[in-house]
Amino acid sequence: MNPEEMLSILKSLQEELASAESIHPDHRKSLQSLTDEIQQTLASAAQTNAAASTGAAATETLSQRMKESIIEFEVRHPIIGGLVERLTDGLSGMGI
């Protein structure tokens, strides 16, 4: 998956977050923070043109947080859970 596709999925996720009414405020804030971090990671990778330069610890943390978000949202918010899962797969495919 290329960065443009990732940004498109990220935008869809952010739109779903904005319109979903039943998300607990703490969960919404957590996922919004995560989407901001993903966006920064994608921008950084595009600027350096070397996704592998991302620190291993930061990548592991981002990946782990995304997995936790998927589990949290799959049941309550399947669309959001699906979008986060697609982002996780895309970042993994990019080596991030």
Side-chain angles (χ1 to χ4, degrees):
M1 188 176 300
N2 65 42
E4 291 82 20
E5 291 174 312
M6 295 290 295
L7 289 172
S8 175
I9 294 169
L10 190 58
K11 182 179 178 183
S12 296
L13 176 58
Q14 290 168 332
E15 290 170 357
E16 285 293 328
L17 277 175
S19 66
E21 298 176 7
S22 62
I23 298 176
H24 188 277
D26 291 340
H27 296 152
R28 182 185 310 272
K29 185 177 178 180
S30 173
L31 195 51
Q32 285 172 334
S33 174
L34 182 62
T35 60
D36 290 344
E37 188 174 341
I38 294 167
Q39 195 165 15
Q40 290 172 358
T41 300
L42 289 172
S44 175
Q47 287 176 352
T48 62
N49 198 21
S53 69
T54 302
T59 301
E60 184 176 313
T61 301
L62 178 60
S63 177
Q64 183 60 36
R65 287 178 49 213
M66 290 181 72
K67 288 176 186 176
E68 290 168 3
S69 292
I70 292 169
I71 293 168
E72 182 177 325
F73 286 99
E74 273 183 333
V75 174
R76 294 183 204 159
H77 306 284
I79 293 172
I80 292 172
L83 290 169
V84 173
E85 187 170 11
R86 287 180 61 196
L87 284 170
T88 302
D89 292 344
L91 288 171
S92 176
M94 295 173 66
I96 297 176

